[in-house]
């Protein structure tokens, strides 16, 4: 049973990695391509990624993705859901089980503390910081 849970956890995290990367590199997208990239990400979020995780939660009726206990997959998914909300809060509208998972995990004391202003959690990169990074790394 433990091997199955580890396999499922790893599988879910790998599935999230693609979307996570798309969102994280978005600030580096050339301005003339940014709107198209955002539209592509939004489409994949609502048509591909979030429906899969909503379906997993619905299929077993448990509070978490794997084994009805908190796992790395849940933490990674909630982090990704925060990124999705920063992109466009309306993207979460049709996914009540994912919203409930996000709320449940966000209210765990260590997570709640981490999410407080002034914590280690970093806000999305500002245009000013992005421009500095572009100069340092010579990104055009």
């Amino acid at each position: 049973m433990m091997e199955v849970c580890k396999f499922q956890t790893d599988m879910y995290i790998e599935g999230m990695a693609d979307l996570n990367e798309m969102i994280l590199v978005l600030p580096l997208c050339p301005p003339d391509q940014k709107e198209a990239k955002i539209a592509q990400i939004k489409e994949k979020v609502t048509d591909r990624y979030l429906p899969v995780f909503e379906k997993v939660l619905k299929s077993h009726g448990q509070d978490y993705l794997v084994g009805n206990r908190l796992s790395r997959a849940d933490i990674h998914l909630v982090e990704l859901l925060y990124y999705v909300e920063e992109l466009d809060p309306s993207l979460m509208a049709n996914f009540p089980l994912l919203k409930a998972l996000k709320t449940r995990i966000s209210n765990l004391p260590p997570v709640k503390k981490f999410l407080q202003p002034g914590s280690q959690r970093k806000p999305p990169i500002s245009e000013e910081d992005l421009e500095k990074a572009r100069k340092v790394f010579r990104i055009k």
Side-chain angles (χ1 to χ4, degrees):
M1 178 66 177
M2 189 61 103
E3 280 298 311
V4 171
C5 290
K6 182 178 178 350
F7 170 75
Q8 286 179 315
T9 299
D10 291 346
M11 180 181 70
Y12 293 145
I13 290 170
E14 283 301 313
M16 293 172 218
D18 295 334
L19 178 59
N20 194 33
E21 184 177 334
M22 282 189 277
I23 292 173
L24 290 179
V25 300
L26 186 60
L28 300 175
C29 186
D32 61 324
Q33 299 173 19
K34 197 166 194 168
E35 287 305 313
K37 193 67 165 172
I38 289 172
Q40 178 188 33
I41 291 170
K42 287 180 176 184
E43 181 182 333
K44 287 184 177 187
V45 163
T46 56
D47 295 348
R48 183 171 166 192
Y49 289 96
L50 296 189
V52 168
F53 293 110
E54 183 81 5
K55 183 177 178 181
V56 168
L57 292 171
K58 189 174 187 173
S59 73
H60 58 52
Q62 298 175 341
D63 288 342
Y64 300 104
L65 288 173
V66 180
N68 202 28
R69 59 181 241 208
L70 184 65
S71 70
R72 286 183 324 126
D74 299 299
I75 298 297
H76 283 284
L77 180 56
V78 169
E79 179 182 33
L80 187 57
L81 295 176
Y82 274 101
Y83 292 152
V84 166
E85 281 188 331
E86 288 168 355
L87 184 65
D88 182 347
S90 72
L91 296 174
M92 295 279 297
N94 296 319
F95 303 99
L97 298 177
L98 291 176
K99 288 195 292 190
L101 176 73
K102 180 179 166 280
T103 299
R104 187 169 35 262
I105 292 175
S106 297
N107 284 324
L108 294 172
V111 177
K112 192 172 191 167
K113 182 180 177 184
F114 178 76
L115 294 172
Q116 296 300 309
S119 75
Q120 295 174 338
R121 183 171 191 264
K122 304 294 183 232
I125 192 166
S126 69
E127 285 298 321
E128 182 182 319
D129 289 339
L130 181 59
E131 195 53 42
K132 287 178 188 176
R134 285 180 193 271
K135 286 178 183 174
V136 169
F137 294 107
R138 298 183 181 130
I139 299 171
K140 295 182 183 203

